[in-house]
Amino acid sequence: MTQLMTSWVESANSAETPFPLNNLPYGVFSTNSLEARCGVAIGDMILDVTGLEEAGILTLTEEPVFDVPYWNDVMDLGPEAWEKLRARLFGILTSDSDEQSQVAPYLVPMADAMLHIPMVVSEYTDFYACRHHATNVGTMFRGAENALPPNWLHIPIGYNGRASTVVVSGTDIIRPNGQFKAPDAEVPSFGPSKRLDIELEMGAIVGTSTEMGQPVNAVQADAMIFGYVLLNDWSARDIQPWEYQPLGPFQAKAFATTISPWIVTKAALEPFRTPTPEREFELLPYLHEEGPSLYDIDLSVIIQPEGGAQEVISRTNYNEMYYSAAQQLAHHSSSGCAMNAGDLLGSGTISGAEKAQRGSLLELSWGGKEPLTLADGSTRSFIEDGDTMILTGHAQGEGYRIGFGACSGKITPAVKFP
Ligand code: MN
């Protein structure tokens, strides 16, 4: 197992920091004096790579790539350039670097920075690829006998979501309005969702584009992935069952998706690879993997009521997935669908086998039948206005961790429909 790599940025050398030299995740930030720009998290600081490029200290290609407030241009350069950048950042930040005095002026305290979405989200697709979650939800929606749809063990099921409403952590989420019908009601009604939920997911970011008509297999797909973020696929559980058949989720999911602000690269996660589980049916050849393609990443869901304390309500791990992001990407391209740099693939809700490992309130409260009791004595089946929902995650190395930063959003009241 890889050890903590040390940096001359002192705060990066603790066992607790999410951002040691081993990590080097990519984000976009601004301050009172700096316009939005590309940065790399190191300890409790951000390295201003846009500034370093302008100063001629960091050069990736002949043309500037950090002169825009998003990472898509770097993704477009391809895997060799990604490796070159990571190697250069190690050289700049490692404890025995001889560039410390030149580079130090380009460090900005994270506490003084505002974080923005790190990329232009070109497209967003969400999957349904964790067996515990699919079994739990299927049992609630269709009964235990039909819990897993007949295709589930053969296809990573997904739907095309909305890139337009993918937002960065810290953005308030307005409770959605929608149409729903209670089982005992004769006609549907319209209004604010009463069953607003989270979905704890990982987001994979596609870094290499493909042409229309040119599918990739799972091995090629793995090489195309640039990095990962935490992802909250906000869901309205009263809108969803009324609208989802036969074409899948629509307005129940379209109102918001939150991602964590730092893109953790595939390279940083390399020591934490774990295999997908045993297959009940052998997968078709285009979905075959050559090595382990999941990651051992501890994940938590935290709730913070208005004015209250934070409380962990679920803990699980990304290694609970049945399908990896590489398999999802291979399946996505299999028809000839073109994929783009900045394409975001939601893993699907991640739940473990135990109740305390479930990645949605729908599952934690079993559809509202078993409400959670919080430390302040209040109960929750679904999210109340004023609640902040926070996802966190990290891979645990020996004496260091690869963290993602929080993926959080506070719920504000629904708008009055005109
Ligand atoms: Mn989802």
Side-chain angles (χ1 to χ4, degrees):
M1 181 63 80
T2 322
Q3 308 283 314
L4 172 74
M5 302 164 78
T6 56
S7 169
W8 53 265
V9 181
E10 278 303 322
S11 59
N13 298 331
S14 89
E16 281 80 40
T17 180
F19 308 122
L21 184 60
N22 307 59
N23 194 347
L24 301 177
Y26 303 146
V28 169
F29 74 101
S30 62
T31 67
N32 287 340
S33 53
L34 297 173
E35 283 186 8
R37 57 191 49 223
C38 294
V40 175
I42 178 80
D44 57 12
M45 308 294 273
I46 301 173
L47 183 66
D48 172 7
V49 291
T50 298
L52 285 178
E53 187 182 61
E54 277 168 9
I57 299 170
L58 189 158
T59 311
L60 198 53
T61 57
E62 279 174 28
E63 297 295 314
V65 281
F66 297 117
D67 57 344
V68 287
Y70 45 81
W71 283 79
N72 302 62
D73 289 2
V74 175
M75 296 178 203
D76 265 328
L77 296 175
E80 262 177 52
W82 308 346
E83 265 179 51
K84 183 179 164 191
L85 172 61
R86 188 166 167 85
R88 180 71 185 115
L89 290 168
F90 277 130
I92 288 173
L93 292 168
T94 189
S95 43
D96 52 9
S97 168
D98 54 14
E99 294 176 278
Q100 181 174 346
S101 59
Q102 271 178 286
V103 171
Y106 295 93
L107 286 172
V108 175
M110 205 175 278
D112 296 345
M114 187 168 159
L115 298 177
H116 305 272
I117 197 155
M119 65 196 178
V120 177
V121 180
S122 52
E123 310 257 8
Y124 166 51
T125 304
D126 192 40
F127 287 87
Y128 186 59
C130 173
R131 190 165 184 172
H132 299 298
H133 171 72
T135 303
N136 286 338
V137 173
T139 300
M140 276 183 268
F141 279 30
R142 289 179 298 273
E145 275 166 28
N146 299 313
L148 278 190
N151 55 4
W152 201 91
L153 293 165
H154 303 276
I155 289 182
I157 303 177
Y159 64 93
N160 288 301
R162 292 294 302 176
S164 59
T165 30
V166 177
V167 295
V168 74
S169 177
T171 307
D172 285 351
I173 303 299
I174 304 167
R175 180 178 296 274
N177 285 303
Q179 185 182 132
F180 32 79
K181 188 176 98 55
D184 52 355
E186 289 205 1
V187 290
S189 53
F190 184 91
S193 168
K194 297 182 184 72
R195 290 162 75 91
L196 182 56
D197 200 357
I198 54 144
E199 290 193 338
L200 166 63
E201 303 192 19
M202 298 285 302
I205 295 158
V206 178
T208 315
S209 302
T210 61
E211 298 290 322
M212 190 173 164
Q214 292 295 316
V216 294
N217 63 32
V219 178
Q220 294 166 318
D222 195 69
M224 289 168 57
I225 294 171
F226 183 67
Y228 291 82
V229 290
L230 305 175
L231 184 149
N232 183 351
D233 174 27
W234 301 94
S235 299
R237 302 301 186 191
D238 36 10
I239 300 172
Q240 190 176 351
W242 176 233
E243 72 171 4
Y244 89 110
Q245 286 178 321
L247 290 185
F250 188 40
Q251 295 305 293
K253 309 274 194 173
F255 61 96
T257 303
T258 302
I259 62 171
S260 53
W262 297 104
I263 303 172
V264 174
T265 62
K266 192 175 53 184
L269 291 170
E270 208 54 43
F272 305 99
R273 281 188 182 260
T274 55
T276 46
E278 286 272 320
R279 302 292 158 183
E280 206 163 305
F281 300 99
E282 195 185 342
L283 296 174
L284 291 166
Y286 75 102
L287 294 173
H288 284 183
E289 305 159 285
E290 271 177 5
S293 60
L294 289 176
Y295 299 94
D296 179 1
I297 299 170
D298 288 322
L299 300 165
S300 298
V301 179
I302 296 164
I303 188 169
Q304 183 172 27
E306 182 92 74
Q310 294 189 0
E311 184 172 344
V312 176
I313 56 171
S314 177
R315 287 181 208 274
T316 183
N317 194 293
Y318 183 52
N319 64 18
E320 298 283 359
M321 301 304 298
Y322 194 79
Y323 296 102
S324 66
Q327 290 174 317
Q328 293 172 332
L329 175 52
H331 183 65
H332 208 321
S333 77
S334 60
S335 62
C337 174
M339 305 302 295
N340 294 307
D343 240 305
L344 178 64
L345 308 182
S347 60
T349 310
I350 305 163
S351 294
E354 306 298 323
K355 182 167 183 177
Q357 298 173 335
R358 295 173 183 167
S360 67
L361 283 166
L362 177 71
E363 294 165 88
L364 286 164
S365 74
W366 205 252
K369 294 196 179 92
E370 301 166 17
L372 302 177
T373 302
L374 303 184
D376 66 4
S378 66
T379 59
R380 288 293 183 288
S381 290
F382 295 96
I383 309 168
E384 305 283 338
D385 287 348
D387 286 348
T388 300
M389 303 301 297
I390 307 160
L391 312 181
T392 63
H394 70 270
Q396 184 64 55
E398 227 172 278
Y400 76 100
R401 44 178 56 177
I402 301 291
F404 284 78
C407 176
S408 108
K410 181 179 176 177
I411 299 301
T412 62
V415 295
K416 284 231 160 53
F417 201 78

